Amino acid sequence: MKSPQRTSRPLALAVAALVGLPLALSGCGSSTAASSSETVTELSVMDYYNNEPDKSFIGDALTKCGTQLGVTVKRETVPGKSLISKVLQQSSSKTLPDVLMLDNPDLQQIAATGALAPLADFKVSTENFAEGVLSAGTYKDKVYGLAPTVNTIALFYNKDILAKAGVTPPTTWDELKDASAKLTAGDQYGLAFNANPTYEGTWQFLPVMWSNGGDEKKIDTKETEQALQLWTDLVKSGSVSSSALNWTQADVKDQFLAGKAAMMVNGPWQIPALDKQPTLQYGVVKIPVREAGQTSVAPLGGEVWTVPQTGNKARQAKAAEMVACLNSDENQLAMATARNTIPSKTTLSDKFASDNPKLATFTELIKTARARTGQLGEEWPAQATKIYTAIQTSLTGNASPADALKQAQGQ
């Protein structure tokens, strides 16, 4: 996904309320289970790719797989902010689609309701997928969803601005602070990132937190405090605009495009916009770590495709074939290339990075990228809220990083 999951608190609670009702959801779809020998000629699909160009890219992949499987695809696209509420409504009315796309952090919550079928029931292969990708699609040791392509975030830098200032791309926090200070002049900031009070703010902070050994289960630790101190120092020193407290990732991209930020934290989905400005020469490196030798760990973004519990075994089996088709080597490479995302299978990494050098850094990061729900499952949204709350508290100067994290953890 281009940005992290945005399930609101009320929706998260609504999902939790359904956890105790798996039997009510297990018969979603057809009221009578169909024979596995039934001939399936149509599959209903629901996703949130309702904007171009992704709408067409995903539509083409679905149509291609439908042709291979001998079925017509009846597709419905809905706005991302409406998907989860619609899934819950369809669960209760037993009208879930045959194939359902979910933002990967949402899978745990939906799987917990009993609305999804384990892919192992249909012998869908999970071999060669990056560990973080499988973790994102897993609930209670069973894989319920697979992502054909994924994304993450890294550090973009303006080659011309850095060269003029005699600055090389930073690899450690000290180098990042030093470079950001040297690159700050007039209306140009050294660095831009998103620290707004949403899951996006948490998402952009995770690389410095995780790479330093911070843990989302308990955020008032020395490791996470050090990471938040870095973010705070960059804003207090003026190397990062205080507007970062409200910026979205799109805003960060706009600052970089306008030459008002020499470096930015962002994802590969911004590459098409950057490439439309031919005078912009940019590079991409991993987000710096505190000390040389630490592993850069980034959050995993992307959507998983699942098979809902519709009660029609024949349609579920065909839906599982659709999920497998979308995740074939050929389709992963095609979709990743078209969408500036990364194939989920590590066996495709070398070829993809070679063919798409601008995505090479992201491809390398995916090998160690972590699913946001990997440790906390459906409890992730609540903790993500604590993280961005602490960021806001510290960056606005209302508390020290240590106190901000302690206050948020205790909420």
Side-chain angles (χ1 to χ4, degrees):
M1 175 164 181
K2 295 179 181 178
S3 59
Q5 158 254 23
R6 295 181 173 85
T7 304
S8 66
R9 185 64 176 166
L11 283 179
L13 292 173
V15 176
L18 289 173
V19 173
L21 301 174
L23 294 178
L25 294 171
S26 62
C28 295
S30 172
S31 59
T32 303
S35 166
S36 60
S37 62
E38 173 192 343
T39 300
V40 178
T41 59
E42 181 182 271
L43 286 177
S44 58
V45 177
M46 188 165 71
D47 61 75
Y48 64 34
Y49 299 107
N50 62 330
N51 294 316
E52 297 294 354
D54 277 344
K55 183 176 182 179
S56 292
F57 290 148
I58 299 302
D60 291 345
L62 289 167
T63 299
K64 178 181 177 181
C65 283
T67 299
Q68 292 178 9
L69 300 176
V71 298
T72 299
V73 175
K74 184 179 179 181
R75 183 188 183 197
E76 178 183 10
T77 61
V78 299
K81 64 182 180 181
S82 305
L83 181 64
I84 297 303
S85 60
K86 190 171 183 67
V87 169
L88 295 176
Q89 181 184 40
Q90 291 181 334
S91 294
S92 61
S93 62
K94 303 180 181 180
T95 56
L96 280 168
D98 298 307
V99 180
L100 173 64
M101 182 230 73
L102 293 169
D103 190 12
N104 79 75
D106 289 327
L107 179 132
Q108 300 257 345
Q109 297 177 346
I110 301 303
T113 70
L116 305 177
L119 296 182
D121 290 358
F122 309 100
K123 297 182 172 56
V124 176
S125 174
T126 58
E127 292 185 359
N128 301 321
F129 283 82
E131 182 179 347
V133 175
L134 286 183
S135 176
T138 299
Y139 174 70
K140 290 190 175 180
D141 300 324
K142 292 184 179 182
V143 177
Y144 288 86
L146 289 176
T149 68
V150 289
N151 61 67
T152 189
I153 47 179
L155 185 72
F156 289 75
Y157 64 94
N158 185 308
K159 291 183 177 181
D160 293 335
I161 293 178
L162 265 69
K164 185 177 180 180
V167 173
T168 57
T171 60
T172 66
W173 290 1
D174 284 344
E175 290 176 1
L176 178 65
K177 291 166 73 172
D178 184 56
S180 297
K182 289 180 179 178
L183 295 166
T184 298
D187 65 351
Q188 174 187 291
Y189 291 91
L191 175 66
F193 56 65
N194 161 5
N196 72 30
T198 72
Y199 297 141
E200 273 194 4
T202 298
W203 157 265
Q204 290 227 324
F205 178 70
L206 288 177
V208 291
M209 184 180 94
W210 278 344
S211 299
N212 196 46
D215 192 318
E216 58 266 38
K217 295 194 299 293
K218 181 176 170 56
I219 62 173
D220 54 341
T221 63
K222 178 182 178 181
E223 291 78 11
T224 301
E225 178 190 341
Q226 290 173 330
L228 186 51
Q229 187 69 61
L230 171 67
W231 245 219
T232 304
D233 288 346
L234 286 165
V235 171
K236 283 189 174 182
S237 68
S239 294
V240 171
S241 170
S242 59
S243 295
L245 286 154
N246 298 305
W247 278 342
T248 64
Q249 292 180 119
D251 294 328
V252 170
K253 175 260 297 178
D254 290 342
Q255 294 295 311
F256 186 74
L257 268 176
K260 293 183 177 181
M263 301 181 289
M264 72 167 176
V265 175
N266 228 314
W269 56 87
Q270 307 291 13
I271 288 177
L274 301 184
D275 288 348
K276 286 181 180 179
Q277 190 164 309
T279 58
L280 175 63
Q281 300 297 314
Y282 65 90
V284 184
V285 294
K286 296 178 181 179
I287 293 172
V289 293
R290 182 171 61 85
E291 295 179 344
Q294 289 181 316
T295 299
S296 184
V297 182
L300 186 76
E303 296 79 18
V304 296
W305 293 84
T306 70
V307 178
Q309 293 280 19
T310 60
N312 186 312
K313 297 303 181 185
R315 295 180 73 90
Q316 283 185 274
K318 186 62 71 172
E321 290 182 38
M322 174 65 77
V323 172
C325 179
L326 291 172
N327 281 280
S328 70
D329 289 8
E330 178 185 359
N331 285 331
Q332 283 204 6
L333 287 170
M335 281 192 281
T337 300
R339 301 180 59 228
N340 284 287
T341 50
I342 313 301
S344 297
K345 294 180 180 178
T346 56
T347 47
L348 303 177
S349 297
D350 290 345
K351 173 177 172 50
F352 184 75
S354 176
D355 292 343
N356 301 273
K358 288 183 178 180
L359 295 167
T361 296
F362 296 103
T363 304
E364 183 66 23
L365 282 167
I366 291 301
K367 296 177 182 178
T368 55
R370 283 175 51 181
R372 284 159 279 170
T373 54
Q375 294 194 54
L376 294 174
E378 61 267 39
E379 296 176 14
W380 163 251
Q383 201 67 355
T385 300
K386 293 181 180 182
I387 293 171
Y388 71 63
T389 298
I391 294 171
Q392 285 271 308
T393 302
S394 181
L395 267 58
T396 54
N398 290 324
S400 68
D403 288 341
L405 290 165
K406 185 176 181 180
Q407 292 170 16
Q409 180 62 43
Q411 290 178 356

